Every structure is written in C-alpha cells, then in structure tokens.
Amino acid sequence: MGKYVIEVTSGQKNTAGEKAKEDISNILHRQGFEKLALRISQSKFRKAISSGYQISKKTRLLNNEDIAIVQYPIYSNFVLKKLLKMLIKKAVHVIGFVHDIEFLRTNKNNEKKRLAEVTLLNNFEILIVHNESMREKLRENGVVVPMVSLHIFDYLNDHCFVKRNKDEGVIYAGNLSKAGFLEKWDTKFKLTLYGINPSKESYCKNTVYRGIKRPDDLPAYLDSGFGLVWDGDSLKDGTGVYGEYTKYNNPHKTSLYLSCGLPVIVWKNSAIASFVKANNVGITVENLLNISQCLEDISDGEYEVLCKNAERIGNEIRSGFYTCDAVNRALKIILKKKRLVN
C-alpha cells in the first residue's frame, strides 16, 4: 500500500498559510509518505486545458488501496473535483486534511456555496478537521464522512526557545488587516506587532510595529510575555467574520507561539480555548478590556508553570506529533472499514 501527500501549488510566495501546508507535507514525508507535486496555472484558460493532463500524469503511479492525503482547500475547486474524481476512479483512499472551511468563514451567509462545499467535502473518504467544534458544525451542515480532530496544528521550528519575560507584555503576529481591534486598543503594557497590512491609522503609544518576517524566521523574534490569539474588530468578544470563525478553527498563530514556548492569550469562547485550558498553556479571557489586570494578577510562579507547559506542548508541535497522531487515527478508521467490507 503506497502512501502519498499531494502538494498543490499555484506559485504563491512563502506565507503563513503556505507554512502550515508545507509543514504537514514535510512531516508526512518523514513518516514515509511520498510527495506528489501538482502545480496549477493561475490562468483560467491554461488551468482548464492542462489540469486533466497534469492530474493524470502525477497520479499514474497510484494504485487500488493506496493512501492519498489532499490538503483542503486548494486554489481551484475545478481542479480539486478533477483530482478527487481521478483518485476515486483508481480506488485510492483519499484523506482530506482541512485548513479552512469557507462556508464557516467568508461564505457563511451563502446557501448555494455552503451546499457546494459540503458536497465537495463528502467526496473525501475521511476528513482531518481542526477540533471537535468544527467536526460538530460540519456534521450539523450535512458532512457525513468520518472525521477526526487534529487538536492543534504543528509548526516546524528549529530555533531555540525564546527568552520569556512576563513584564515584556504581549506579541501579536499575523495578517493585521484581520485585526481591526488593534486600532481601538489602548494598552497599559507593551504590545509588539509583526505582520502584513498594518493599519494606516496610528496604534496606541505602547504599540511597536516590527514589520514582516518570514514564517520560518519569525520564531526568533517572539520574546514577549504572551502571544495573543484574537481576530476581528471588537475588544469585547470575537465578533465579525474573522472573530466568529475562531469558534471553529485552530488559528495557526497559536501553534507559532507555543512552538516558541510562549504562553498564549485566547478568547474564552474560541474553539482553541479548550486545548489551552486542558494543557494549561495560557489564559482564556472574555474580552481585552481588562486584560492588564489579568496579566498583573498572574504571579511569577504561575507564569513559570505556563511557560513550562507551553514548552512541553511546543516540543510536540515542533516534532509533528499532532499531524502524525491525526493521520494514524484516520488510517485506523480506513483499515477498520476495509476489514468490515472483507
């Protein structure tokens, strides 16, 4: 039985979104999965003409009962449908490794797109989803294939663990255009920002913007007391398109911070909050308005415990533990189903 991870690219630069997919591909390659690279033209005409040939060429070595992992979504549903059709025709076991669900994010009020995405997801034999909240939401919306929870994304990181200092305040790293709350936040502590699309409006006086770093280089710079996981426009709760999405997804920045041994601050109603509480790797808050008092109330001893736990989980994240564990659980379901059929 051959094992493959299919890499679908479209010429994108090295971004945080690509970092997550590249890490999963590299982790699985270490575990004996062969990489199959499928490059999609950004031209609609070339995509329509050449995608069938490219898919046929790249999948010709796959046989009945082989395992193929496809990271979802890819850059073209048109190509994904062709790819899945080919793999199913070859009787390959196809596992979908989910990164984003668009009908829970940007398309949540579009019934036509929701139904189309659910139909597409049901073409996989099994799905690896972020967490139990996402699994339950997908089930409510008509996804019927088996699903296993990842729990948290891995983040390959070769840098030494950062020096952590509770008094150094909070770091926020990510796409700053998705963090409108930053423009409203008047913090009493130092707030350090990294990422693309900083606001044209001025941030509060305690905010320091340190520019853009490559995802593989960024861990070397995260030397504050806590890493903040928050999206949306509101300081009071996770509202707005991106804030609401945190009820179901595992933000990749959580993995970035923990891979550095940095404790995190998350919204208490976010899906990732249960992981943070269960492993005692940070604090969960209702809002950001009283966060200064929350940080002051944490003793040095309590902070050291958070750091120790964050480093323990960080080592697992660096090793690819969560990816391997989820894939192994998915494979067990496939093998069990095969035994029942036979």
Side-chain angles (χ1 to χ4, degrees):
M1 180 176 67
K3 297 188 297 182
Y4 301 87
V5 55
I6 298 176
E7 300 179 314
V8 184
T9 62
S10 186
Q12 280 75 11
K13 296 180 180 178
N14 191 10
T15 64
E18 289 307 296
K19 166 71 173 170
K21 290 185 176 181
E22 288 171 1
D23 280 356
I24 288 170
S25 184
N26 288 331
I27 290 165
L28 293 175
H29 185 59
R30 294 178 189 171
Q31 299 300 312
F33 282 75
E34 183 177 342
K35 293 182 181 181
L36 289 182
L38 178 61
R39 184 179 176 85
I40 301 172
S41 172
Q42 293 181 331
S43 162
K44 288 185 178 180
F45 176 75
R46 290 181 180 176
K47 187 189 301 180
I49 297 298
S50 66
S51 59
Y53 170 75
Q54 287 290 327
I55 291 169
S56 178
K57 178 181 177 182
K58 292 295 182 179
T59 62
R60 69 185 187 279
L61 296 179
L62 275 68
N63 298 305
N64 179 30
E65 302 296 332
D66 283 348
I67 302 291
I69 293 182
V70 178
Q71 299 192 62
Y72 177 89
I74 66 173
Y75 311 108
S76 165
N77 282 342
F78 171 79
V79 172
L80 179 57
K81 289 174 183 177
K82 281 195 169 187
L83 175 61
L84 290 175
K85 184 177 180 180
M86 177 66 74
L87 295 174
I88 292 169
K89 183 178 180 180
K90 285 175 164 282
V92 173
H93 299 288
V94 190
I95 300 172
F97 205 120
V98 173
H99 289 266
D100 279 305
I101 300 293
E102 292 305 323
F103 81 79
L104 295 180
R105 186 170 60 167
T106 56
N107 295 333
K108 65 179 182 178
N109 295 319
N110 190 315
E111 181 67 5
K112 182 178 180 180
K113 289 186 176 180
R114 182 190 70 83
L115 290 172
E117 187 166 20
V118 168
T119 300
L120 191 54
L121 292 170
N122 279 328
N123 278 292
F124 290 95
E125 185 167 346
I126 189 168
L127 295 170
I128 296 173
V129 300
H130 292 202
N131 49 58
E132 287 301 298
S133 295
M134 180 177 281
R135 187 183 68 80
E136 291 173 10
K137 193 67 174 178
L138 291 178
R139 189 70 74 209
E140 288 174 9
N141 280 274
V143 176
V144 296
V145 297
M147 290 177 272
V148 300
S149 295
L150 177 63
H151 300 307
I152 194 167
F153 279 99
D154 291 311
Y155 196 108
L156 297 184
N157 176 0
D158 294 329
H159 295 276
C160 296
F161 282 110
V162 296
K163 286 186 177 181
R164 295 148 299 194
N165 185 339
K166 182 166 71 78
D167 297 327
E168 280 297 309
V170 173
I171 274 182
Y172 185 88
N175 185 343
L176 301 179
S177 68
K178 294 165 54 180
F181 72 90
L182 292 169
E183 299 170 23
K184 309 170 186 176
W185 202 12
D186 187 12
T187 66
K188 295 180 180 179
F189 50 82
K190 180 181 176 183
L191 176 62
T192 304
L193 308 180
Y194 291 95
I196 61 173
N197 301 319
S199 173
K200 294 179 181 179
E201 305 294 329
S202 59
Y203 296 118
C204 80
K205 64 180 180 180
N206 291 329
T207 303
V208 178
Y209 174 61
R210 291 187 175 167
I212 303 168
K213 308 294 180 186
R214 292 177 63 254
D216 287 325
D217 297 334
L218 185 55
Y221 297 90
L222 305 190
D223 56 357
S224 290
F226 288 87
L228 177 64
V229 182
W230 199 274
D231 278 318
D233 299 325
S234 176
L235 296 169
K236 295 182 180 180
D237 51 32
T239 56
V241 172
Y242 298 112
E244 286 289 323
Y245 191 47
T246 62
K247 292 180 180 179
Y248 309 109
N249 81 320
N250 291 343
H252 198 233
K253 61 172 61 68
T254 315
S255 303
L256 162 66
Y257 300 142
L258 292 175
S259 78
C260 300
L262 196 64
V264 296
I265 301 169
V266 305
W267 181 35
K268 75 171 188 177
N269 293 322
S270 64
I272 201 66
S274 60
F275 181 91
V276 171
K277 288 188 288 187
N279 292 283
N280 195 24
V281 292
I283 60 175
T284 63
V285 296
E286 186 171 359
N287 59 63
L288 298 180
L289 298 175
N290 300 316
I291 198 171
S292 295
Q293 189 60 53
C294 292
L295 297 181
E296 289 175 8
D297 290 343
I298 297 174
S299 69
D300 290 342
E302 290 170 332
Y303 181 70
E304 286 304 313
V305 171
L306 293 178
C307 288
K308 183 178 180 180
N309 291 334
E311 194 166 313
R312 173 178 57 82
I313 295 297
N315 276 318
E316 291 182 342
I317 287 172
R318 287 167 172 241
S319 73
F321 169 81
Y322 293 96
T323 299
C324 294
D325 180 62
V327 169
N328 286 335
R329 282 183 281 125
L331 292 176
K332 285 181 180 178
I333 292 174
I334 290 173
L335 291 173
K336 182 178 180 181
K337 186 163 62 172
K338 283 177 60 180
R339 285 196 296 268
L340 290 174
V341 171
N342 295 332

